[in-house]
Amino acid sequence: MIGGLFIYNHKGEVLISRVYRDDIGRNAVDAFRVNVIHARQQVRSPVTNIARTSFFHIKRSNIWLAAVTKQNVNAAMVFEFLLKMVEVMQSYFGKITEENVKNNFVLIYEILDEILDFGYPQNTDTGILKTFITQQGVKSQSKEETSQITSQVTGQIGWRREGIKYRRNELFLDVLESVNLLMSPQGQVLSAHVAGRIVMKSYLSGMPECKFGINDKVLMDTRGRSNMDESSSRTGATSGKSSIAIDDCQFHQCVKLSKFETEHSISFIPPDGEFELMKYRTTKDISLPFRVIPLVREVGRSKMEVKVVVKSNFKPSLLAQKVEVRIPTPLNTSGVQVICMKGRAKYKASENAIVWKIKRMGGMKECQLSAEIELLNTSDKKKWTRPPISMNFEVPFAPSGFKVRYLKVFEPKLNYSDHDVIKWVRYIGRSGHYETRC
Amino acid sequence: MTDSKYFTTTKKGEVFELKTELQSDKKEKKKEAVKKVIASMTVGKDVSALFPDVLNCIQTDNLELKKLVYLYLMNYAKSQPDMAIMAVNTFVRDCEDSNPLIRALAVRTMGCIRVDKIIDYLCQPLRNCLKDEDPYVRKTAAVCVAKLHDINAQLVEDQGFLDQLRDLLSDSNPMVVANAVAAISEILETSPTAQQVLEMNSSTINKLLTALNECTEWGQVFILDAISNYTPKDDKEAQSICERVTPRLAHANAAVVLSAVKVVMKFMEMLEANSEYISTLVKKLAPPLVTLLSAEPEIQYVALRNINLVVQKRPEILKNEMKVFFVKYNDPIYVKLEKLDIMIRLTSQANIAQVLAELKEYATEVDVDFVRKSVRAIGRCAIKVEPAAERCVSTLLDLIQTKVNYVVQEAIVVIKDIFRKYPNKYESIIATLCENLDTLDEPEARASMIWIIGEYAERIDNADELLESFLEGFQDENTQVQLQLLTAIVKLFLKRPTDTQDLVQQVLSLATQDSDNPDLRDRGYIYWRLLSTDPAAAKEVVLAEKPLISEETDLIEPTLLDELICNISSLASVYHKPPNAFVEGSKSSLRKILPPRSQSGNVGDDQPSPPAEAPSAPAATVIPGVDSLIGDLLDMDLGGPSMQQQQMYPPQPTSQTPVQGGGGMDLLGEGLDSLLGGPAPSGDSLGGLGDIFGMPTAQSYVPPQEVWLPASKGKGLEVTGTFSRKQGNVIMELTFANKAMQPMTGFAIQFNKNSFGLMPASPINIPSALLPNQSTSYSLQLSTMGAVQRMDPLANLQVAIKNNIDVFYFSCLVPMHALFVEDGEMEKRVFLATWKDIPAQNEVQHEICNVQHNADTISQKLKNNNVFTIAKRNVEGQDMLYQSLKLTNGIWVLAELKIQPNNPNFMLSLKARAMDVYQGIQQAFDNILHN
């Protein structure tokens, strides 16, 4: 298991050093600094073995987090733990910076003591941790309070405490999708997938049991009959395809996986506040919101002509926002003239790219940009490799066709019913790696 | 006010100042001081001098301060054991505190203080805590048992903590169960004696599977990892565990997913290969593996390293998922390189066009390593997918035109491989290659180019000039290049003897006289003597047809792959090395192995079932990775099978008349003699050759003669004998001794039907009468054309001998190695396929004790007896010899000989379709190796 955990600043100075196992000595701290942080060459792997000691590291802004071990540990778990550690620290004191780490080092030691025992990760749920590890110092707790804490830390529903009360029971569902695309210059889709997340904010009293319905093909086929009325009325309104094929989905630990496997139903008792209920991935029938058509022509050695057409491909009534097209330019660019019909385009020398921003763009529209790029003569034999043109945008629909069909809340012990809960659903499609080669 | 100020104090006298602050009466000041101490400790300052003062702060009701003091204690207790003992009272008291958080804190910290004296005080509180009413305390105590075991294993066992730990597996709280499992797994790994107490059985596994649904993500990982170490009793149990584990594949935590994959991949081995459930599992495994690729890059990296293993073990799982492994522009380099590796493994005729387009794109990227690997990948595609070879070659040519130095070099290296795979197909591009001669500065590329020139010397008009240009800086070249240049020039000379004598003389003298590299010198001498004594033989040797190269490279050796599959998600799977290669000490000496396929439920299914892989799966071929493959390529003139043939049938000295270009040869002979500058008697040279080839030692093992028919039973005739193998025949060596009073005549011999159809090839012929007290030896050649009947034991041979007195019957055992035929050498590729093809239950191990030879001698000894070493690997410091042999009746037997350094006991694993022969073969190995 994990033998020790170190946090360094960008210079390689140790900010936090917590050793869990005897086989990790002080020299391990230095070994990582010398061989990884101060290494001449860029790190080629997140796992490094130095003198039979293995180091796992991640980096957030300027801060290095490294877990050390001499054993054959579960590598995926170590990285998941480091990421979780970052999440916990962020929820306590915001951004991970040298200043923040130094300011909170006592707190970090306390957290590390709690969430890692002899190198074995323990309960890392921030909600629960915050009930008994606080920055204000521990108030002397009553017997009931402490036993409540311990039962939560170890409990079956470790992500929710009992006795939550809201005057208004309300929940928000955000369907957040990121569309990823790699397209050839000829307009052929090389790969495309949607990575979706469902983020839920729940403000519900008691221990509510929730059932969640989506338009996944598999779920609809098996559960379809019982909910026929509901689904037909909804899909009638939204039109388009009624169900989608989800390649794979993953759930927050509150979702009862065995039930999902056997009954194809998504049921859970949600944590209080915001959490990520589900992640999913689709690759079929994605409606790509934009298409980029590049045309690059090299005119001699000192000039290049670029023409880029962007077409929006969704209902005209909808508006895309924060549209940005990034057209890479060669390193030896000396000057750029840009003309675009819509939005603003600028050559940014520091980023080696023309950045074209369009604040809003309706569906089924077309915009064009043309640019002349002047090049310096260089003796460099190596060809410029032409990185792909990338795009950023935000659209108010789910490009995968994902739909929330229902979310029902049951709380048998308290006197509110499903109808009393105010529910909000929002769909946002964003660009992931949305790239067109040119 | 912030805490960061504690990091900045660097004044002199700091320790002294802290001391006074620690002794302060004010609580706040005390706390500040302890914080400063901890900060100093963090940055590596030695604050151990403050031990008693910090310890004084331990008695406090402030939990935060207590935790800080505990943290300090854990760090320094070991250096101040006597002082640390003073803290014991506080610990013991805290273990009985009414607040469960404090009880747990105390027991957790106490376990981390590795001072022997403290341990004695720890036992009682720990025992209480394991039975605490609060689950938080119990889960902490469970881990503490592992801590204690790490310090003093004996104590844990004596005090009965193992039993208590086992009882926690039935705890009502899932987190307690999870931590108990984690502790148990750790203890089992280090202490084999704990096995009896903690051994998992199906009822404990059931409890774990129940807890799996309810505990935290980390707990699920502990439980799944523990389950993966369990071996189900039959395929039904394996299947039911799989059924309960597969829902975990949808968990958001990648570690849970990968651990579930590990359990499924391992237990799949036990299920029947073609069952429907296997194909269900295969379908279920693909999506979660693909999803891992959208995680954080570090997780992706771990996932990709594991997918690499999964793809090698079961290619069918991801065969349709090529696209997800396409490299993204922003992927970190370590993700890019791993993706590329998997892409090549998944390449097939169906997706080659896409893959090739991608690879071409990658070859223009920035990162040098990545570009090189991409270029190499194009070559591997060409070798793997024959119909696409032409497209690959033209892509490579395009890349050569870019003139980017490292691209060109890498392309030339792979083109050499393509030439090996498809000889005489793409020579037209040689001209283009030659244009880039000057730019090659890496040894591998230079060596490859030289190989190409030598190989196709007859088609390159200026081959001599080209090679001569390399020769100028011969001394400064890398050995690889020197060896290659030597061989290439000899090839050139053999192809165009008339105008290249000077060149060949030059290179031979450079190699033999001016070099201090023994390999180069030896090779030079061999060529020299070959050329001077027998040019025809030289031609046969140097220009021999090369064996084809394999399609797959970089394959992980099968036993290692199986072990790594059992270690999915762990560091071993990331390094692709067995755990004991990077874990210290004798810990985890237990090698994890895949379970054998269960036999229950498929009785009557006698036929060997087809291999688990779908037919589309490329047959795994040669074991070695790239490096050794390249070694093979360059050194094949010496190490290849063609040479082995030479070794077995040494070239018969033919007449001295040169076959071709006679004048040139004669000249050369003289020239060489004078060059050698001294007595270089040509008669001796062949002997020298023999020496090099080790001919004189090549003798097969003949067991000593034993008495088959004692005189008492043979009416005075005593027959002793043995079996040997000469010139491809089984020989029965007989000695007849006449112990009677009268001469014996009219000898005849006959065999009963036997297992191998042995019969005398000709009648026995003893011309003169055998007089009393005389004996005569006779070598009877046997053939294997006789009638076959299975004998028991298998090698039993019943013989009848007749003479003028009577007919006598006796039986003897034919030593199995006399039946090993000369053409028992399997091709590597075939070997691997066969090895896989033969069901695992056919594999039988046998220990050969007390052998005093190293791997090379053994392989030579066995080879003398027609047991051929196909490949030799060094795995975890032990030599593995993979061998094949064939019996006279055509039965192939594959063997794996495991040789550990400093261990005279070897492990022999045999695999064959007919298992009856094993005993005899084991015996044969024993005899040969002990001879």
Side-chain angles (χ1 to χ4, degrees):
Chain A
M1 278 306 117
I2 298 174
L5 205 136
F6 308 131
I7 302 180
Y8 301 84
N9 65 8
H10 66 287
K11 285 186 252 170
E13 292 164 354
V14 196
L15 305 179
I16 296 286
S17 133
R18 176 73 164 94
V19 173
Y20 292 93
R21 300 231 169 193
D22 221 24
D23 53 4
I24 302 300
R26 184 81 202 172
N27 51 357
V29 185
D30 303 326
F32 183 76
R33 177 192 311 119
V34 173
N35 289 291
V36 179
I37 302 181
H38 291 170
R40 287 229 187 93
Q41 284 164 334
Q42 185 203 351
V43 196
R44 304 295 270 190
S45 158
V47 186
T48 328
N49 192 315
I50 307 161
R52 295 199 141 226
T53 309
S54 298
F55 296 80
F56 300 74
H57 74 265
I58 61 173
K59 212 180 161 191
R60 289 294 174 272
S61 58
N62 273 333
I63 300 297
W64 298 75
L65 270 87
V68 194
T69 183
K70 284 204 162 185
Q71 290 171 303
N72 183 27
V73 297
N74 188 321
M77 186 177 82
V78 175
F79 278 124
E80 283 283 3
F81 176 79
L82 287 175
L83 296 168
K84 197 74 187 187
M85 176 77 201
V86 167
E87 195 187 309
V88 171
M89 288 197 291
Q90 276 170 342
S91 84
Y92 267 99
F93 51 76
K95 218 168 165 244
I96 312 274
T97 61
E98 179 171 353
E99 205 49 36
N100 277 346
V101 171
K102 279 184 172 174
N103 276 336
N104 294 284
F105 81 97
V106 175
L107 171 75
I108 295 174
Y109 276 126
E110 204 176 334
I111 294 172
L112 280 176
D113 197 41
E114 186 57 44
I115 62 177
L116 210 51
D117 189 3
F118 203 39
Y120 290 102
Q122 304 294 305
N123 198 324
T124 47
D125 190 276
T126 41
I128 300 292
L129 286 174
K130 280 185 174 170
T131 61
F132 68 107
I133 296 182
T134 56
Q135 278 173 297
Q136 280 77 44
V138 177
K139 298 157 258 163
S140 58
Q141 289 136 322
S142 73
K143 213 170 176 182
E144 293 80 59
E145 278 172 328
T146 54
S147 75
Q148 202 189 344
I149 289 169
T150 58
S151 80
Q152 265 163 34
V153 175
T154 61
Q156 302 190 4
I157 303 167
W159 52 87
R160 190 179 180 95
R161 62 195 166 88
E162 304 242 9
I164 298 171
K165 275 210 175 76
Y166 286 102
R167 219 145 42 89
R168 203 156 93 125
N169 288 299
E170 203 170 12
L171 64 86
F172 300 83
L173 273 179
D174 280 346
V175 177
L176 305 172
E177 294 201 336
S178 83
V179 205
N180 296 277
L181 170 76
L182 185 62
M183 195 174 250
S184 75
Q186 292 75 34
Q188 188 194 359
V189 176
L190 296 173
S191 73
H193 77 270
V194 167
R197 308 191 303 138
I198 311 236
V199 175
M200 182 168 170
K201 269 179 239 163
S202 73
Y203 304 104
L204 301 170
S205 311
M207 290 299 240
E209 176 118 25
C210 298
K211 274 200 167 173
F212 185 45
I214 55 175
N215 63 335
D216 177 34
K217 232 178 212 161
V218 184
L219 301 194
M220 300 261 287
D221 287 351
T222 47
R223 311 258 315 149
R225 263 159 251 131
S226 58
N227 296 308
M228 193 64 95
D229 307 329
E230 202 175 349
S231 63
S232 61
S233 64
R234 295 270 173 97
T235 49
T238 51
S239 81
K241 52 195 181 230
S242 56
S243 65
I244 60 165
I246 290 182
D247 288 26
D248 188 32
C249 45
Q250 293 176 313
F251 298 102
H252 185 266
Q253 55 169 324
C254 67
V255 175
K256 291 165 187 154
L257 289 177
S258 43
K259 233 176 175 172
F260 176 72
E261 176 89 358
T262 51
E263 299 167 30
H264 294 286
S265 75
I266 304 170
S267 62
F268 56 97
I269 295 168
D272 194 39
E274 184 173 330
F275 71 105
E276 189 181 274
L277 173 64
M278 169 182 178
K279 281 195 287 193
Y280 59 90
R281 187 169 50 83
T282 72
T283 46
K284 291 194 187 71
D285 302 321
I286 297 166
S287 69
L288 298 168
F290 289 96
R291 162 100 203 265
V292 176
I293 305 159
L295 198 72
V296 182
R297 210 160 65 92
E298 282 173 52
V299 187
R301 285 189 144 207
S302 59
K303 213 166 117 185
M304 250 171 85
E305 284 178 6
V306 180
K307 207 171 96 178
V308 178
V309 178
V310 175
K311 281 185 182 170
S312 62
N313 187 21
F314 44 87
K315 274 191 246 164
S317 58
L318 298 175
L319 264 185
Q321 288 184 301
K322 301 177 190 165
V323 180
E324 184 187 293
V325 184
R326 188 170 279 267
I327 303 149
T329 55
L331 300 175
N332 56 339
T333 302
S334 60
V336 177
Q337 273 102 47
V338 215
I339 311 161
C340 58
M341 304 186 310
K342 204 170 187 295
R344 283 179 150 199
K346 251 191 199 162
Y347 166 62
K348 294 199 173 166
S350 59
E351 295 167 35
N352 284 314
I354 301 170
V355 180
W356 178 21
K357 287 184 177 169
I358 307 168
K359 272 190 186 155
R360 277 186 204 85
M361 189 168 169
M364 307 312 274
K365 291 253 166 53
E366 196 176 309
C367 299
Q368 194 182 330
L369 168 144
S370 39
E372 268 187 29
I373 302 170
E374 281 157 37
L375 304 173
L376 289 170
N377 269 329
T378 54
S379 53
D380 199 359
K381 248 191 187 174
K382 220 183 118 191
K383 241 181 69 186
W384 177 55
T385 58
R386 282 200 199 173
I389 295 180
S390 59
M391 248 199 110
N392 289 315
F393 54 80
E394 200 177 293
V395 289
F397 62 91
S400 69
F402 186 97
K403 285 274 181 292
V404 175
R405 288 172 52 230
Y406 57 85
L407 198 149
K408 292 181 195 155
V409 182
F410 306 96
E411 168 54 66
K413 286 186 195 147
L414 296 175
N415 56 346
Y416 72 93
S417 74
D418 185 43
H419 297 288
D420 303 329
V421 181
I422 307 159
K423 303 167 188 167
W424 305 88
V425 182
R426 179 165 67 158
Y427 297 90
I428 300 172
R430 291 200 184 101
S431 50
H433 295 287
Y434 204 83
E435 297 173 342
T436 307
R437 288 183 181 154
C438 57
Chain B
M1 207 173 78
T2 64
D3 285 351
S4 60
K5 62 175 186 287
Y6 301 122
F7 282 85
T8 49
T9 48
T10 50
K11 311 179 281 223
K12 274 188 179 172
E14 186 193 354
V15 172
F16 181 73
E17 209 167 278
L18 281 171
K19 218 179 175 81
T20 37
E21 281 177 40
L22 284 169
Q23 286 160 354
S24 162
D25 299 333
K26 289 181 196 143
K27 273 187 180 173
E28 264 316 299
K29 200 149 194 189
K30 251 186 190 174
K31 200 164 126 186
E32 295 288 291
V34 176
K35 279 189 183 181
K36 278 186 203 165
V37 172
I38 300 291
S40 311
M41 193 175 86
T42 299
V43 297
K45 279 181 212 154
D46 183 15
V47 283
S48 59
L50 295 168
F51 200 89
D53 306 287
V54 177
L55 199 60
N56 274 335
C57 305
I58 202 170
Q59 301 203 23
T60 171
D61 46 3
N62 183 321
L63 197 56
E64 192 184 3
L65 181 57
K66 192 179 271 271
K67 282 182 179 175
L68 289 173
V69 174
Y70 279 179
L71 188 62
Y72 180 89
L73 264 178
M74 284 187 266
N75 258 321
Y76 287 114
K78 217 174 176 188
S79 58
Q80 312 251 355
D82 294 331
M83 298 291 285
I85 207 84
M86 285 160 59
V88 163
N89 268 332
T90 318
F91 279 123
V92 174
R93 191 151 12 93
D94 280 356
C95 281
E96 286 159 8
D97 197 284
S98 63
N99 185 341
L101 292 173
I102 293 187
R103 290 202 296 276
L105 178 67
V107 77
R108 183 163 68 212
T109 312
M110 230 170 149
C112 294
I113 297 180
R114 305 174 59 94
V115 176
D116 285 336
K117 285 179 192 159
I118 285 200
I119 294 167
D120 300 332
Y121 296 95
L122 177 61
C123 289
Q124 194 49 43
L126 177 59
R127 191 164 306 141
N128 294 340
C129 286
L130 283 166
K131 289 181 289 196
D132 199 285
E133 54 171 21
D134 196 296
Y136 183 78
V137 179
R138 290 201 301 275
K139 71 109 182 164
T140 311
V143 175
C144 190
V145 176
K147 291 177 187 168
L148 190 57
H149 188 269
D150 190 36
I151 307 168
N152 191 338
Q154 198 54 47
L155 184 75
V156 170
E157 284 167 38
D158 295 346
Q159 296 275 334
F161 284 126
L162 295 183
D163 294 298
Q164 272 191 296
L165 200 54
R166 190 192 53 211
D167 294 342
L168 287 185
L169 289 180
S170 314
D171 199 283
S172 59
N173 185 295
M175 192 157 180
V176 176
V177 178
N179 276 4
V181 163
I184 287 176
S185 301
E186 176 158 344
I187 290 171
L188 282 180
E189 213 160 277
T190 53
S191 151
T193 48
Q195 197 91 29
Q196 311 129 0
V197 188
L198 298 177
E199 180 98 74
M200 298 272 169
N201 55 37
S202 41
S203 90
T204 44
I205 291 292
N206 246 322
K207 284 175 199 157
L208 295 185
L209 285 166
T210 312
L212 185 61
N213 291 324
E214 288 159 356
C215 60
T216 64
E217 43 197 336
W218 314 115
Q220 297 187 17
V221 176
F222 307 153
I223 291 181
L224 288 168
D225 284 353
I227 292 177
S228 78
N229 287 334
Y230 169 73
T231 309
K233 55 182 187 296
D234 55 30
D235 55 345
K236 288 202 188 76
E237 192 184 7
Q239 175 163 348
S240 88
I241 293 174
C242 283
E243 276 161 6
R244 294 177 70 178
V245 163
T246 44
R248 298 298 123 194
L249 293 172
H251 202 284
N253 187 315
V256 177
V257 175
L258 274 176
S259 290
V261 169
K262 165 163 58 186
V263 173
V264 174
M265 282 295 286
K266 189 176 170 189
F267 290 2
M268 263 165 110
E269 288 298 307
M270 292 186 68
L271 305 176
E272 204 184 325
N274 291 321
S275 68
E276 203 168 304
Y277 189 62
I278 289 264
S279 57
T280 319
L281 283 178
V282 164
K283 268 186 215 128
K284 275 191 182 163
L285 281 173
L289 286 174
V290 171
T291 299
L292 290 176
L293 299 185
S294 43
E296 299 281 330
E298 291 86 6
I299 304 263
Q300 276 189 57
Y301 175 71
V302 175
L304 286 164
R305 293 293 283 175
N306 280 287
I307 288 172
N308 200 328
L309 300 173
V310 171
V311 165
Q312 288 185 59
K313 185 73 192 166
R314 292 186 181 271
E316 69 271 26
I317 293 178
L318 289 165
K319 65 169 187 277
N320 296 322
E321 302 288 351
M322 171 61 91
K323 276 191 179 178
V324 298
F325 297 103
F326 284 179
V327 170
K328 295 194 189 114
Y329 191 74
N330 295 325
D331 281 337
I333 182 67
Y334 51 81
V335 169
K336 284 185 176 176
L337 292 171
E338 293 306 318
K339 279 187 173 174
L340 194 52
D341 235 7
I342 295 168
M343 275 173 71
I344 300 163
R345 292 205 195 290
L346 292 177
T347 304
S348 67
Q349 203 165 340
N351 55 26
I352 184 77
Q354 271 182 320
V355 172
L356 207 52
E358 283 294 308
L359 291 176
K360 202 174 168 184
E361 198 75 33
Y362 303 162
T364 62
E365 281 225 26
V366 189
D367 190 281
V368 177
D369 283 349
F370 181 60
V371 170
R372 280 172 176 276
K373 201 163 181 174
S374 304
V375 175
R376 211 167 265 243
I378 296 175
R380 275 166 68 179
C381 286
I383 290 164
K384 201 171 162 187
V385 185
E386 187 161 357
E390 195 153 347
R391 249 181 303 165
C392 296
V393 171
S394 77
T395 308
L396 286 171
L397 277 184
D398 288 350
L399 289 172
I400 288 176
Q401 303 297 357
T402 63
K403 305 276 178 200
V404 178
N405 185 280
Y406 53 84
V407 174
V408 174
Q409 312 217 32
E410 204 66 40
I412 285 181
V413 173
V414 294
I415 285 177
K416 171 209 61 188
D417 291 352
I418 295 175
F419 280 166
R420 289 271 331 260
K421 170 82 183 183
Y422 310 110
N424 306 319
K425 217 170 161 191
Y426 297 109
E427 290 74 59
S428 52
I429 66 171
I430 290 175
T432 323
L433 301 185
C434 290
E435 285 165 21
N436 293 288
L437 271 184
D438 310 337
T439 60
L440 306 180
D441 53 11
E442 289 162 21
E444 204 186 343
R446 286 172 84 82
S448 301
M449 192 64 221
I450 294 170
W451 182 86
I452 293 172
I453 298 174
E455 191 63 18
Y456 295 97
E458 69 272 33
R459 315 197 190 191
I460 306 171
D461 294 337
N462 60 343
D464 49 344
E465 286 168 35
L466 294 175
L467 291 176
E468 199 168 5
S469 71
F470 281 106
L471 204 53
E472 278 158 20
F474 190 79
Q475 255 94 341
D476 307 326
E477 294 281 7
N478 182 294
T479 316
Q480 195 185 6
V481 182
Q482 292 178 333
L483 284 169
Q484 205 47 59
L485 194 52
L486 170 63
T487 305
I489 291 178
V490 172
K491 281 182 190 167
L492 171 71
F493 172 71
L494 289 168
K495 289 173 177 178
R496 284 170 34 187
T498 41
D499 56 345
T500 53
Q501 299 155 26
D502 291 348
L503 199 56
V504 82
Q505 284 185 9
Q506 208 182 333
V507 77
L508 285 174
S509 80
L510 277 171
T512 53
Q513 308 199 317
D514 299 342
S515 166
D516 50 8
N517 181 323
D519 287 345
L520 184 64
R521 228 167 28 209
D522 285 356
R523 195 188 283 197
Y525 277 127
I526 288 170
Y527 285 153
W528 202 325
R529 289 185 179 157
L530 263 176
L531 291 173
S532 56
T533 50
D534 187 356
K539 216 164 183 172
E540 252 175 75
V541 172
V542 180
L543 302 181
E545 199 171 311
K546 282 127 212 104
L548 284 183
I549 55 170
S550 64
E551 292 173 359
E552 291 281 348
T553 46
D554 284 350
L555 281 182
I556 294 176
E557 190 254 343
T559 47
L560 178 59
L561 179 62
D562 285 354
E563 190 181 355
L564 293 180
I565 289 287
C566 298
N567 280 298
I568 281 180
S569 188
S570 76
L571 256 183
S573 74
V574 173
Y575 293 144
H576 288 185
K577 281 181 189 157
N580 53 9
F582 58 91
V583 176
E584 238 154 50
S586 60
K587 285 185 175 185
S588 69
S589 54
L590 297 162
R591 260 185 77 198
K592 293 183 182 172
I593 47 166
L594 286 177
R597 196 153 74 73
S598 149
Q599 280 301 292
S600 89
N602 50 350
V603 190
D605 180 13
D606 284 348
Q607 289 126 328
S609 52
E613 277 84 359
S616 66
T621 45
V622 178
I623 302 159
V626 193
D627 296 359
S628 48
L629 178 73
I630 288 154
D632 251 2
L633 270 173
L634 295 178
D635 294 340
M636 66 196 159
D637 341 76
L638 278 176
S642 61
M643 207 55 210
Q644 284 168 0
Q645 300 252 313
Q646 292 294 338
Q647 191 165 345
M648 296 195 48
Y649 309 111
Q652 301 294 316
T654 49
S655 68
Q656 284 295 320
T657 339
V659 180
Q660 254 185 346
M665 286 300 177
D666 267 344
L667 261 176
L668 180 71
E670 282 173 28
L672 284 176
D673 283 349
S674 57
L675 263 176
L676 275 169
S682 56
D684 187 38
S685 61
L686 193 66
L689 211 61
D691 250 354
I692 293 166
F693 288 152
M695 270 185 339
T697 57
Q699 274 167 1
S700 71
Y701 165 66
V702 180
Q705 292 206 346
E706 51 184 65
V707 178
W708 283 340
L709 181 71
S712 54
K713 287 189 180 167
K715 297 192 176 162
L717 173 68
E718 188 190 65
V719 181
T720 55
T722 184
F723 289 88
S724 66
R725 188 165 184 88
K726 279 178 191 150
Q727 279 111 37
N729 290 308
V730 187
I731 308 287
M732 191 179 200
E733 310 269 15
L734 290 159
T735 304
F736 298 106
N738 185 350
K739 306 241 164 124
M741 305 304 286
Q742 51 177 311
M744 293 177 180
T745 53
F747 283 96
I749 191 164
Q750 210 166 13
F751 295 173
N752 196 355
K753 289 183 208 165
N754 55 70
S755 312
F756 294 91
L758 288 169
M759 61 180 272
S762 54
I764 201 164
N765 176 20
I766 295 173
S768 56
L770 189 62
L771 298 172
N773 280 331
Q774 217 180 28
S775 68
T776 180
S777 299
Y778 189 80
S779 291
L780 178 68
Q781 190 176 327
L782 306 184
S783 85
T784 52
M785 314 295 283
V788 176
Q789 181 190 322
R790 198 189 181 292
M791 300 298 288
D792 194 22
L794 199 70
N796 200 14
L797 181 67
Q798 295 179 337
V799 185
I801 290 206
K802 194 187 127 203
N803 62 8
N804 56 340
I805 300 167
D806 204 340
V807 183
F808 309 101
Y809 301 94
F810 62 85
S811 64
C812 54
L813 287 175
V814 185
M816 204 65 114
H817 70 265
L819 302 167
F820 296 176
V821 296
E822 276 69 21
D823 62 345
E825 185 170 13
M826 236 183 211
E827 224 183 309
K828 283 183 182 179
R829 197 171 331 175
V830 183
F831 179 86
L832 235 131
T834 319
W835 184 274
K836 279 186 133 185
D837 214 43
I838 298 174
Q841 67 263 28
N842 275 23
E843 183 169 350
V844 169
Q845 296 207 323
H846 171 73
E847 198 179 30
I848 302 175
C849 300
N850 216 3
V851 186
Q852 307 296 351
H853 306 293
N854 65 16
D856 291 333
T857 336
I858 281 164
S859 135
Q860 186 57 45
K861 265 177 178 287
L862 288 169
K863 187 167 164 185
N864 294 340
N865 289 287
N866 296 337
V867 178
F868 299 93
T869 303
I870 306 295
K872 182 180 159 191
R873 304 265 77 208
N874 193 298
V875 182
E876 316 151 26
Q878 54 187 13
D879 282 320
M880 312 276 273
L881 298 177
Y882 293 92
Q883 300 168 321
S884 75
L885 61 93
K886 194 167 108 180
L887 296 175
T888 49
N889 56 359
I891 292 179
W892 283 96
V893 180
L894 311 186
E896 181 199 57
L897 199 57
K898 205 180 295 174
I899 302 168
Q900 285 165 327
N902 307 323
N903 182 355
N905 299 349
F906 298 176
M907 189 53 77
L908 172 71
S909 309
L910 292 177
K911 248 183 157 184
R913 297 205 188 276
M915 295 172 68
D916 301 344
V917 299
Y918 284 0
Q919 202 197 346
I921 287 175
Q922 286 162 354
Q923 188 65 45
F925 266 82
D926 265 328
N927 289 338
I928 295 167
L929 295 182
H930 285 122
N931 171 31

